[in-house]
Amino acid sequence: MMEAVITGHKLSVGYGSKVLLKDADFEVKKGDIFIIMGGSGCGKSSLLKVLTGLMLPLGGTFKLFGKDFNQALPQEQLSLRQKTGILYQSGALFSSMTLAENVSMPLTQYTNYSPETIDELVRLKLALVGLAGYEDYYPSEISGGMKKRAGLARALALDPEVVYFDEPSAGLDPVSSARLDELMLQINQNLNTTLVVVTHELQSIFTIGTNSVYLDAETRSITGNGNPHDLLKNPPNERIAQFLTRGKKI
């Protein structure tokens, strides 16, 4: 059995009196490509905010690498965060900085590496995502798919054990989306990096997902979990069946 790198126990997520998800239990195992899926308004992005430490849960606990994140001291939380990376939906690159400068930011902020070593690592990370030779380009000079890959290079700068993805296919054409899926698979398999992916794109879910949870907006709970292909073969309920087949009968 692989160890759990993220666990949620009776986790509730929302804003004030508005509860989006309640009493959620789940585990993300080391090496998973873990999909958080569901329809609009079910709390996918809000759950991701809790898991990345950007938002406090309304109740329950989540553990990151075995540590109760919200009970940890600020310095402990920082250390835990440095073992993770995140690719934001828009890429979130700094427009006034080159791709190399964007990717180097975590390295200059959180390591004592020499400028020469940082430069070498930046080139390595950009090459890893297929952007060798684009070090001096600005975000405005590259395509949307390339921006996502540059954002991924930055997320990988500190060699994280877990990388979070917020709707990685959003705004991409089908070819760019497929290439990003392939890249995510390569990172998972070659670097043994655990991926946590918020998405509603069925093509990506079935291409890359090894484990998943389905968030149900009506019941405000997790109503299905497991490999997406298994959920498609034996859907726990009608709403999951409808979601995984785009409403077609199976």
Side-chain angles (χ1 to χ4, degrees), residues 84-96:
T84 71
I86 181 167
L87 175 60
Y88 296 95
Q89 189 174 135
S90 64
L93 298 172
F94 292 97
S95 60
S96 61

Side-chain angles (χ1 to χ4, degrees), residues 1 14-15 18 26 42 45 69 73 77 87 98 108 111 114 135 152 164 207-208 213 234 250:
M1 294 289 292
Y15 303 88
K18 183 175 178 60
F26 59 90
C42 67
S45 293
F69 185 85
L73 297 172
Q77 290 184 345
L87 175 60
T98 65
T108 55
T111 75
S114 68
E135 292 83 3
L152 181 53
Y164 300 101
T207 298
I208 66 175
V213 287
N234 298 291
I250 56 173

Side-chain angles (χ1 to χ4, degrees), residues 33 165 168 180-188 195 197 208:
I33 300 182
F165 295 78
L180 185 58
D181 284 343
E182 291 173 6
L183 181 57
M184 292 164 68
L185 282 171
Q186 290 170 9
I187 289 167
N188 171 254
L195 311 183
V197 186
I208 66 175

